[in-house]
Amino acid sequence: MGTVGLAFGSPTSGTGFNVSSTVAEIIGNLQNVESPWKTQLTSLESQDTVISNLGTLFSNLSNDMSSLSDPEGILAQKEGSSSDTNVSS
């Protein structure tokens, strides 16, 4: 973390220290510490989105696979044929 300097000015000037610049320095130092965390959070949020999408895709695949193995599923309405005359349809 950086340092914050306090400038009190002349003791007889009647102006105390500059509060706004001191606060600005403190906030700047805190933001410098916070920046890597924000970058990491953005990366983790992107990974979370990708993993969530993969979960949805796997769920859809599982449902589609179930319908293929269901005797009343989509393949039950299909009719097959063969060029071999010894095979009945």
Side-chain angles (χ1 to χ4, degrees):
M1 186 177 281
T3 60
V4 176
L6 295 175
F8 290 100
S10 169
T12 58
S13 70
T15 60
F17 66 94
N18 189 339
V19 174
S20 60
S21 69
T22 303
V23 170
E25 286 182 50
I26 292 170
I27 290 174
N29 288 339
L30 292 174
Q31 287 174 339
N32 289 339
V33 170
E34 195 177 87
S35 285
W37 296 340
K38 285 183 177 181
T39 302
Q40 185 178 17
L41 179 61
T42 301
S43 174
L44 291 173
E45 286 171 340
S46 297
Q47 291 174 15
D48 180 53
T49 301
V50 169
I51 290 170
S52 179
N53 289 340
L54 280 174
T56 301
L57 291 172
F58 281 129
S59 177
N60 292 344
L61 178 63
S62 176
N63 292 337
D64 292 346
M65 295 291 287
S66 294
S67 68
L68 287 175
S69 61
D70 182 4
E72 298 297 320
I74 193 162
L75 292 179
Q77 299 172 5
K78 302 297 179 190
E79 229 177 272
S81 64
S82 173
S83 59
D84 186 348
T85 55
N86 294 323
V87 175
S88 61
S89 52

Coordinates of all heavy atoms in Angstrom, one line a residue:
M1 N 0.9 -1.2 0.0 CA 0.0 0.0 0.0 C 0.9 1.2 0.0 O 2.0 1.2 0.6 CB -0.9 0.0 1.2 CG -1.9 1.1 1.2 SD -3.1 1.0 2.6 CE -4.2 -0.2 2.1
G2 N 0.5 2.3 -0.6 CA 1.3 3.5 -0.7 C 1.2 4.3 0.5 O 0.5 4.0 1.5
T3 N 1.9 5.4 0.5 CA 1.9 6.2 1.7 C 1.1 7.5 1.5 O 0.8 7.8 0.3 CB 3.4 6.7 2.0 OG1 3.9 7.4 0.9 CG2 4.3 5.5 2.3
V4 N 0.6 8.0 2.5 CA -0.2 9.3 2.5 C 0.6 10.3 3.2 O 0.9 10.2 4.4 CB -1.6 9.0 3.1 CG1 -2.4 10.3 3.1 CG2 -2.3 7.9 2.4
G5 N 0.8 11.4 2.5 CA 1.5 12.5 3.2 C 0.6 13.6 3.7 O -0.4 13.9 3.0
L6 N 0.8 14.1 4.9 CA 0.0 15.1 5.4 C 0.9 16.4 5.4 O 2.0 16.5 5.9 CB -0.4 14.8 6.9 CG -1.3 13.6 7.1 CD1 -1.5 13.4 8.5 CD2 -2.6 13.8 6.4
A7 N 0.3 17.4 4.8 CA 1.0 18.7 4.8 C 0.1 19.7 5.6 O -1.0 20.0 5.3 CB 1.1 19.2 3.3
F8 N 0.7 20.1 6.7 CA -0.1 21.0 7.6 C 0.0 22.5 7.3 O -0.7 23.3 7.8 CB 0.4 20.8 9.1 CG 0.0 19.4 9.6 CD1 0.9 18.4 9.7 CD2 -1.3 19.2 10.1 CE1 0.5 17.1 10.2 CE2 -1.7 18.0 10.6 CZ -0.8 17.0 10.6
G9 N 0.9 22.8 6.4 CA 1.1 24.2 6.1 C 1.8 25.0 7.2 O 2.3 24.4 8.2
S10 N 1.8 26.2 7.1 CA 2.5 27.1 8.1 C 1.6 27.1 9.4 O 0.4 27.3 9.3 CB 2.7 28.5 7.6 OG 3.1 29.4 8.6
P11 N 2.2 27.0 10.6 CA 1.4 27.0 11.8 C 0.8 28.3 12.1 O -0.2 28.4 12.8 CB 2.4 26.7 12.9 CG 3.8 26.6 12.3 CD 3.6 26.8 10.8
T12 N 1.2 29.4 11.4 CA 0.6 30.7 11.7 C -0.3 31.2 10.5 O -0.9 32.2 10.6 CB 1.7 31.8 11.9 OG1 2.5 31.8 10.7 CG2 2.5 31.5 13.1
S13 N -0.4 30.3 9.5 CA -1.3 30.7 8.4 C -2.8 30.6 8.6 O -3.6 31.2 8.0 CB -0.9 29.9 7.1 OG -1.3 28.6 7.3
G14 N -3.1 29.7 9.6 CA -4.5 29.5 9.9 C -5.2 28.6 8.9 O -6.4 28.4 8.9
T15 N -4.5 27.9 8.0 CA -5.1 27.0 7.1 C -4.9 25.6 7.5 O -4.4 25.0 7.1 CB -4.5 27.2 5.7 OG1 -3.1 26.9 5.7 CG2 -4.7 28.5 5.1
G16 N -4.9 24.9 8.2 CA -4.8 23.5 8.5 C -4.3 22.6 7.4 O -3.7 23.1 6.4
F17 N -4.5 21.3 7.4 CA -4.0 20.5 6.4 C -5.1 20.3 5.3 O -6.3 20.4 5.5 CB -3.4 19.1 6.9 CG -4.4 18.2 7.5 CD1 -5.0 17.2 6.8 CD2 -4.7 18.3 8.9 CE1 -5.9 16.4 7.3 CE2 -5.6 17.5 9.5 CZ -6.3 16.5 8.7
N18 N -4.6 19.9 4.1 CA -5.5 19.8 3.0 C -6.2 18.4 3.0 O -5.7 17.4 2.7 CB -4.7 19.9 1.7 CG -5.6 19.9 0.5 OD1 -6.7 19.5 0.5 ND2 -5.0 20.4 -0.6
V19 N -7.5 18.4 3.5 CA -8.2 17.2 3.7 C -8.6 16.5 2.4 O -8.5 15.3 2.3 CB -9.6 17.5 4.5 CG1 -10.4 16.3 4.6 CG2 -9.2 18.1 5.9
S20 N -8.9 17.3 1.4 CA -9.4 16.7 0.1 C -8.2 15.9 -0.6 O -8.4 14.8 -1.1 CB -10.0 17.7 -0.8 OG -9.0 18.7 -1.1
S21 N -7.0 16.5 -0.6 CA -5.9 15.7 -1.2 C -5.5 14.5 -0.4 O -5.2 13.5 -0.9 CB -4.7 16.7 -1.4 OG -4.1 17.0 -0.2
T22 N -5.6 14.6 1.0 CA -5.3 13.4 1.8 C -6.3 12.3 1.6 O -6.0 11.2 1.4 CB -5.3 13.9 3.3 OG1 -4.4 14.9 3.5 CG2 -5.0 12.7 4.2
V23 N -7.6 12.7 1.5 CA -8.6 11.7 1.2 C -8.5 11.1 -0.2 O -8.6 9.9 -0.4 CB -10.1 12.3 1.4 CG1 -11.1 11.3 0.9 CG2 -10.3 12.7 2.9
A24 N -8.1 11.9 -1.1 CA -7.9 11.4 -2.5 C -6.8 10.4 -2.5 O -6.8 9.4 -3.2 CB -7.7 12.6 -3.4
E25 N -5.7 10.7 -1.8 CA -4.5 9.8 -1.7 C -4.9 8.5 -1.1 O -4.6 7.4 -1.6 CB -3.4 10.4 -1.0 CG -2.6 11.5 -1.7 CD -1.5 12.0 -0.9 OE1 -0.7 11.2 -0.4 OE2 -1.4 13.2 -0.8
I26 N -5.7 8.5 0.0 CA -6.2 7.3 0.7 C -7.0 6.5 -0.3 O -6.9 5.3 -0.4 CB -6.9 7.6 2.0 CG1 -5.9 8.2 3.0 CG2 -7.6 6.4 2.5 CD1 -6.6 8.8 4.2
I27 N -8.0 7.1 -0.9 CA -8.9 6.4 -1.9 C -8.1 5.8 -3.0 O -8.3 4.6 -3.4 CB -10.0 7.3 -2.4 CG1 -11.0 7.6 -1.2 CG2 -10.7 6.7 -3.6 CD1 -12.0 8.6 -1.6
G28 N -7.1 6.5 -3.5 CA -6.3 6.0 -4.6 C -5.5 4.8 -4.2 O -5.4 3.8 -4.9
N29 N -5.0 4.8 -3.0 CA -4.2 3.6 -2.5 C -5.2 2.4 -2.3 O -4.8 1.3 -2.6 CB -3.6 4.0 -1.1 CG -2.4 4.9 -1.2 OD1 -1.8 5.0 -2.3 ND2 -2.1 5.6 -0.2
L30 N -6.4 2.7 -1.8 CA -7.3 1.5 -1.7 C -7.7 1.0 -3.0 O -7.9 -0.2 -3.2 CB -8.6 2.0 -0.9 CG -8.3 2.4 0.6 CD1 -9.6 3.0 1.2 CD2 -7.9 1.2 1.3
Q31 N -7.9 1.9 -4.0 CA -8.2 1.4 -5.4 C -7.1 0.6 -6.0 O -7.4 -0.4 -6.7 CB -8.6 2.6 -6.3 CG -10.0 3.2 -5.9 CD -10.3 4.4 -6.7 OE1 -9.4 5.1 -7.2 NE2 -11.6 4.8 -6.7
N32 N -5.9 0.9 -5.7 CA -4.8 0.2 -6.3 C -4.7 -1.2 -5.7 O -4.4 -2.2 -6.4 CB -3.4 0.9 -5.9 CG -3.2 2.1 -6.7 OD1 -3.8 2.3 -7.8 ND2 -2.4 3.0 -6.3
V33 N -5.1 -1.4 -4.4 CA -5.2 -2.7 -3.8 C -6.3 -3.5 -4.4 O -6.3 -4.7 -4.6 CB -5.3 -2.6 -2.3 CG1 -5.6 -3.9 -1.6 CG2 -4.0 -2.0 -1.7
E34 N -7.4 -2.8 -4.7 CA -8.7 -3.4 -5.1 C -8.6 -3.9 -6.6 O -9.3 -4.8 -6.9 CB -9.8 -2.4 -4.9 CG -11.2 -3.0 -5.0 CD -12.2 -1.9 -4.7 OE1 -12.6 -1.2 -5.6 OE2 -12.6 -1.8 -3.5
S35 N -7.8 -3.3 -7.4 CA -7.8 -3.6 -8.8 C -7.5 -5.0 -9.2 O -8.3 -5.6 -10.0 CB -6.8 -2.7 -9.6 OG -7.3 -1.4 -9.7
P36 N -6.5 -5.7 -8.6 CA -6.3 -7.1 -8.9 C -7.5 -8.0 -8.6 O -7.8 -8.9 -9.2 CB -5.1 -7.5 -8.1 CG -4.4 -6.2 -7.8 CD -5.5 -5.2 -7.7
W37 N -8.2 -7.6 -7.5 CA -9.3 -8.4 -7.0 C -10.5 -8.3 -8.1 O -11.2 -9.2 -8.4 CB -9.8 -8.0 -5.7 CG -8.8 -8.2 -4.6 CD1 -7.8 -9.1 -4.6 CD2 -8.8 -7.6 -3.3 NE1 -7.1 -9.1 -3.4 CE2 -7.7 -8.2 -2.6 CE3 -9.5 -6.6 -2.7 CZ2 -7.3 -7.8 -1.3 CZ3 -9.2 -6.3 -1.4 CH2 -8.1 -6.8 -0.7
K38 N -10.7 -7.1 -8.6 CA -11.7 -6.8 -9.6 C -11.4 -7.6 -10.8 O -12.3 -8.2 -11.4 CB -11.9 -5.3 -9.9 CG -12.5 -4.6 -8.8 CD -12.7 -3.1 -9.2 CE -13.5 -2.3 -8.1 NZ -13.7 -0.9 -8.5
T39 N -10.1 -7.6 -11.2 CA -9.7 -8.4 -12.4 C -10.0 -9.9 -12.2 O -10.5 -10.5 -13.1 CB -8.3 -8.1 -12.7 OG1 -8.1 -6.7 -12.9 CG2 -7.8 -8.9 -14.0
Q40 N -9.6 -10.4 -11.1 CA -9.8 -11.8 -10.8 C -11.3 -12.1 -10.7 O -11.8 -13.2 -11.2 CB -9.2 -12.2 -9.5 CG -9.3 -13.7 -9.1 CD -8.6 -14.0 -7.8 OE1 -8.3 -13.2 -7.0 NE2 -8.3 -15.3 -7.7
L41 N -12.1 -11.2 -10.1 CA -13.6 -11.4 -10.1 C -14.2 -11.5 -11.5 O -15.0 -12.4 -11.7 CB -14.2 -10.3 -9.3 CG -15.8 -10.4 -9.1 CD1 -16.2 -11.7 -8.4 CD2 -16.3 -9.2 -8.4
T42 N -13.8 -10.6 -12.4 CA -14.3 -10.7 -13.7 C -13.9 -12.0 -14.4 O -14.8 -12.6 -15.1 CB -13.6 -9.5 -14.5 OG1 -14.0 -8.3 -13.9 CG2 -14.1 -9.5 -16.0
S43 N -12.7 -12.5 -14.2 CA -12.3 -13.8 -14.8 C -13.2 -14.9 -14.2 O -13.6 -15.8 -14.9 CB -10.8 -14.0 -14.5 OG -10.5 -15.3 -14.9
L44 N -13.4 -14.9 -12.9 CA -14.2 -16.0 -12.3 C -15.6 -15.9 -12.7 O -16.3 -17.0 -12.9 CB -14.1 -15.8 -10.7 CG -12.7 -16.2 -10.1 CD1 -12.7 -15.8 -8.6 CD2 -12.4 -17.6 -10.3
E45 N -16.2 -14.7 -12.9 CA -17.6 -14.6 -13.4 C -17.7 -15.2 -14.8 O -18.7 -15.8 -15.1 CB -18.0 -13.1 -13.4 CG -18.3 -12.6 -12.0 CD -18.5 -11.1 -11.9 OE1 -18.1 -10.4 -12.9 OE2 -19.1 -10.7 -10.9
S46 N -16.7 -15.0 -15.7 CA -16.7 -15.5 -17.0 C -16.6 -17.1 -16.9 O -17.3 -17.7 -17.7 CB -15.5 -15.0 -17.8 OG -15.5 -13.7 -18.0
Q47 N -15.8 -17.6 -16.1 CA -15.7 -19.0 -15.9 C -17.0 -19.6 -15.4 O -17.5 -20.7 -15.8 CB -14.6 -19.4 -15.0 CG -13.2 -19.1 -15.5 CD -12.1 -19.3 -14.5 OE1 -12.3 -19.9 -13.5 NE2 -10.9 -18.8 -14.8
D48 N -17.7 -18.9 -14.5 CA -18.9 -19.3 -13.9 C -20.0 -19.4 -15.1 O -20.8 -20.4 -15.1 CB -19.4 -18.4 -12.8 CG -20.7 -18.7 -12.2 OD1 -20.9 -19.9 -11.8 OD2 -21.6 -17.9 -12.2
T49 N -20.0 -18.4 -15.9 CA -20.9 -18.4 -17.1 C -20.7 -19.6 -18.0 O -21.6 -20.3 -18.4 CB -20.8 -17.1 -17.9 OG1 -21.1 -16.0 -17.0 CG2 -21.8 -17.1 -19.0
V50 N -19.4 -19.9 -18.3 CA -19.1 -21.0 -19.1 C -19.5 -22.4 -18.5 O -20.1 -23.2 -19.1 CB -17.6 -21.0 -19.5 CG1 -17.2 -22.3 -20.2 CG2 -17.2 -19.9 -20.3
I51 N -19.2 -22.5 -17.2 CA -19.6 -23.8 -16.5 C -21.1 -23.9 -16.4 O -21.6 -25.0 -16.6 CB -18.9 -23.8 -15.1 CG1 -17.4 -23.9 -15.3 CG2 -19.5 -24.9 -14.3 CD1 -16.6 -23.8 -14.0
S52 N -21.8 -22.8 -16.2 CA -23.3 -22.9 -16.2 C -23.8 -23.3 -17.5 O -24.7 -24.1 -17.6 CB -23.8 -21.5 -15.8 OG -25.2 -21.5 -15.8
N53 N -23.3 -22.8 -18.6 CA -23.7 -23.1 -20.0 C -23.4 -24.6 -20.3 O -24.2 -25.3 -20.9 CB -23.0 -22.3 -21.0 CG -23.6 -20.9 -21.0 OD1 -24.7 -20.6 -20.5 ND2 -22.8 -19.9 -21.6
L54 N -22.3 -25.1 -19.8 CA -21.9 -26.5 -20.0 C -23.0 -27.4 -19.2 O -23.4 -28.4 -19.7 CB -20.5 -26.8 -19.4 CG -19.4 -26.5 -20.4 CD1 -18.0 -26.7 -19.6 CD2 -19.4 -27.3 -21.6
G55 N -23.3 -27.0 -18.0 CA -24.4 -27.7 -17.3 C -25.7 -27.8 -18.1 O -26.3 -28.9 -18.1
T56 N -26.1 -26.7 -18.7 CA -27.3 -26.7 -19.5 C -27.2 -27.6 -20.7 O -28.1 -28.4 -21.0 CB -27.6 -25.3 -19.9 OG1 -27.7 -24.4 -18.8 CG2 -28.9 -25.2 -20.8
L57 N -26.0 -27.6 -21.3 CA -25.8 -28.4 -22.5 C -25.8 -29.9 -22.1 O -26.4 -30.8 -22.8 CB -24.5 -28.1 -23.2 CG -24.4 -26.7 -23.9 CD1 -23.0 -26.4 -24.4 CD2 -25.4 -26.7 -25.1
F58 N -25.2 -30.3 -21.0 CA -25.2 -31.7 -20.5 C -26.6 -32.1 -20.2 O -27.0 -33.3 -20.4 CB -24.2 -31.9 -19.4 CG -22.8 -32.0 -19.8 CD1 -21.8 -31.2 -19.2 CD2 -22.4 -32.9 -20.8 CE1 -20.5 -31.3 -19.6 CE2 -21.0 -33.0 -21.2 CZ -20.1 -32.2 -20.6
S59 N -27.3 -31.2 -19.6 CA -28.7 -31.6 -19.2 C -29.5 -31.8 -20.5 O -30.3 -32.8 -20.6 CB -29.3 -30.4 -18.4 OG -30.7 -30.7 -18.1
N60 N -29.4 -31.0 -21.5 CA -30.1 -31.2 -22.8 C -29.6 -32.5 -23.4 O -30.5 -33.2 -24.0 CB -29.8 -30.0 -23.7 CG -30.4 -28.7 -23.3 OD1 -31.3 -28.7 -22.4 ND2 -30.0 -27.6 -23.8
L61 N -28.4 -32.8 -23.4 CA -27.8 -34.0 -24.0 C -28.4 -35.2 -23.2 O -28.8 -36.2 -23.9 CB -26.3 -34.1 -23.9 CG -25.6 -35.3 -24.4 CD1 -25.9 -35.5 -25.9 CD2 -24.1 -35.3 -24.1
S62 N -28.5 -35.2 -21.9 CA -29.1 -36.3 -21.1 C -30.5 -36.5 -21.5 O -31.0 -37.7 -21.7 CB -28.9 -36.0 -19.7 OG -29.6 -37.0 -18.9
N63 N -31.3 -35.4 -21.6 CA -32.7 -35.6 -22.0 C -32.8 -36.1 -23.4 O -33.7 -37.0 -23.7 CB -33.4 -34.2 -22.0 CG -33.5 -33.7 -20.5 OD1 -33.5 -34.5 -19.6 ND2 -33.7 -32.4 -20.4
D64 N -32.0 -35.7 -24.3 CA -32.0 -36.2 -25.7 C -31.7 -37.7 -25.8 O -32.3 -38.5 -26.5 CB -31.1 -35.4 -26.6 CG -31.6 -34.0 -26.8 OD1 -32.8 -33.7 -26.5 OD2 -30.8 -33.1 -27.3
M65 N -30.7 -38.1 -25.0 CA -30.3 -39.5 -24.9 C -31.4 -40.4 -24.4 O -31.6 -41.5 -24.8 CB -29.0 -39.7 -24.1 CG -27.8 -39.0 -24.7 SD -27.2 -39.8 -26.1 CE -26.5 -41.2 -25.5
S66 N -32.1 -39.8 -23.4 CA -33.2 -40.6 -22.8 C -34.3 -40.8 -23.8 O -34.9 -41.9 -23.9 CB -33.8 -39.8 -21.6 OG -32.8 -39.8 -20.5
S67 N -34.6 -39.8 -24.6 CA -35.7 -39.9 -25.6 C -35.3 -40.9 -26.7 O -36.1 -41.6 -27.3 CB -36.0 -38.6 -26.2 OG -35.0 -38.1 -27.0
L68 N -34.0 -41.1 -27.0 CA -33.5 -42.1 -28.0 C -33.7 -43.5 -27.5 O -34.0 -44.4 -28.3 CB -32.1 -41.8 -28.3 CG -31.8 -40.6 -29.2 CD1 -30.3 -40.4 -29.3 CD2 -32.5 -40.7 -30.5
S69 N -33.6 -43.7 -26.2 CA -33.7 -45.1 -25.6 C -35.1 -45.4 -25.2 O -35.4 -46.6 -24.9 CB -32.8 -45.3 -24.5 OG -33.1 -44.4 -23.4
D70 N -36.0 -44.5 -25.3 CA -37.4 -44.7 -24.9 C -38.1 -45.4 -26.0 O -38.1 -44.9 -27.2 CB -38.1 -43.3 -24.6 CG -39.5 -43.4 -24.2 OD1 -40.0 -44.6 -24.0 OD2 -40.1 -42.4 -24.0
P71 N -38.8 -46.6 -25.8 CA -39.4 -47.3 -26.8 C -40.6 -46.5 -27.4 O -41.0 -46.7 -28.6 CB -40.0 -48.6 -26.2 CG -39.7 -48.4 -24.7 CD -38.8 -47.3 -24.5
E72 N -41.1 -45.5 -26.7 CA -42.2 -44.7 -27.3 C -41.6 -43.3 -27.7 O -42.4 -42.4 -28.0 CB -43.2 -44.4 -26.1 CG -43.9 -45.7 -25.6 CD -44.7 -46.4 -26.7 OE1 -45.4 -45.7 -27.5 OE2 -44.7 -47.6 -26.8
G73 N -40.3 -43.2 -27.8 CA -39.6 -42.0 -28.2 C -39.7 -41.7 -29.7 O -40.4 -42.4 -30.4
I74 N -38.8 -40.9 -30.1 CA -38.9 -40.4 -31.5 C -38.5 -41.5 -32.5 O -39.0 -41.5 -33.6 CB -37.9 -39.2 -31.7 CG1 -38.2 -38.5 -33.0 CG2 -36.5 -39.6 -31.5 CD1 -37.6 -37.1 -33.0
L75 N -37.7 -42.4 -32.1 CA -37.3 -43.5 -33.1 C -38.4 -44.5 -33.2 O -38.5 -45.3 -34.2 CB -36.0 -44.2 -32.6 CG -34.8 -43.4 -32.7 CD1 -33.6 -44.2 -32.2 CD2 -34.5 -42.9 -34.1
A76 N -39.4 -44.6 -32.3 CA -40.5 -45.5 -32.4 C -41.4 -45.2 -33.6 O -42.0 -46.1 -34.2 CB -41.4 -45.5 -31.2
Q77 N -41.4 -44.0 -34.1 CA -42.2 -43.6 -35.3 C -41.5 -43.8 -36.6 O -42.1 -43.6 -37.6 CB -42.7 -42.2 -35.1 CG -43.5 -42.0 -33.8 CD -43.8 -40.5 -33.6 OE1 -43.4 -39.6 -34.4 NE2 -44.4 -40.2 -32.5
K78 N -40.2 -44.2 -36.6 CA -39.5 -44.3 -37.8 C -39.6 -45.8 -38.3 O -39.7 -46.7 -37.6 CB -38.0 -44.0 -37.5 CG -37.7 -42.6 -37.0 CD -38.2 -41.6 -38.0 CE -37.9 -40.2 -37.4 NZ -38.5 -39.2 -38.2
E79 N -39.6 -45.9 -39.6 CA -39.7 -47.2 -40.3 C -38.4 -47.4 -41.0 O -37.9 -46.5 -41.7 CB -40.9 -47.1 -41.3 CG -41.8 -48.3 -41.1 CD -42.9 -48.3 -42.1 OE1 -43.9 -47.7 -41.7 OE2 -42.8 -48.8 -43.2
G80 N -37.9 -48.6 -40.9 CA -36.6 -48.9 -41.6 C -36.9 -49.7 -42.8 O -38.0 -50.3 -43.0
S81 N -36.0 -49.8 -43.7 CA -36.1 -50.6 -44.9 C -34.7 -51.2 -45.2 O -33.7 -50.6 -44.8 CB -36.6 -49.8 -46.1 OG -35.7 -48.8 -46.4
S82 N -34.7 -52.2 -46.0 CA -33.4 -52.8 -46.4 C -33.5 -53.2 -47.9 O -34.5 -53.6 -48.4 CB -33.1 -54.0 -45.5 OG -32.0 -54.7 -46.0
S83 N -32.3 -53.2 -48.6 CA -32.3 -53.6 -50.0 C -32.2 -55.2 -50.0 O -32.4 -55.8 -51.1 CB -31.1 -53.0 -50.7 OG -29.9 -53.3 -50.0
D84 N -31.9 -55.8 -48.9 CA -31.9 -57.2 -48.8 C -33.3 -57.8 -48.7 O -34.0 -57.5 -47.8 CB -31.1 -57.7 -47.5 CG -30.8 -59.1 -47.5 OD1 -31.4 -59.9 -48.2 OD2 -30.0 -59.5 -46.6
T85 N -33.7 -58.6 -49.7 CA -35.1 -59.1 -49.8 C -35.3 -60.1 -48.8 O -36.5 -60.5 -48.5 CB -35.3 -59.6 -51.2 OG1 -34.4 -60.6 -51.5 CG2 -35.3 -58.5 -52.2
N86 N -34.3 -60.7 -48.1 CA -34.5 -61.6 -47.1 C -34.8 -61.0 -45.7 O -35.1 -61.7 -44.8 CB -33.2 -62.5 -46.9 CG -33.0 -63.3 -48.2 OD1 -33.9 -63.8 -48.8 ND2 -31.7 -63.5 -48.5
V87 N -34.8 -59.7 -45.6 CA -35.1 -59.0 -44.4 C -36.5 -58.4 -44.5 O -36.8 -57.8 -45.4 CB -34.1 -57.9 -44.1 CG1 -34.5 -57.1 -42.9 CG2 -32.7 -58.4 -44.0
S88 N -37.3 -58.7 -43.5 CA -38.7 -58.2 -43.5 C -38.7 -56.8 -42.8 O -37.9 -56.6 -41.8 CB -39.6 -59.1 -42.8 OG -39.3 -59.3 -41.5
S89 N -39.6 -56.0 -43.2 CA -39.6 -54.7 -42.6 C -40.7 -54.6 -41.5 O -41.6 -55.3 -41.4 CB -39.8 -53.6 -43.6 OG -41.0 -53.9 -44.4

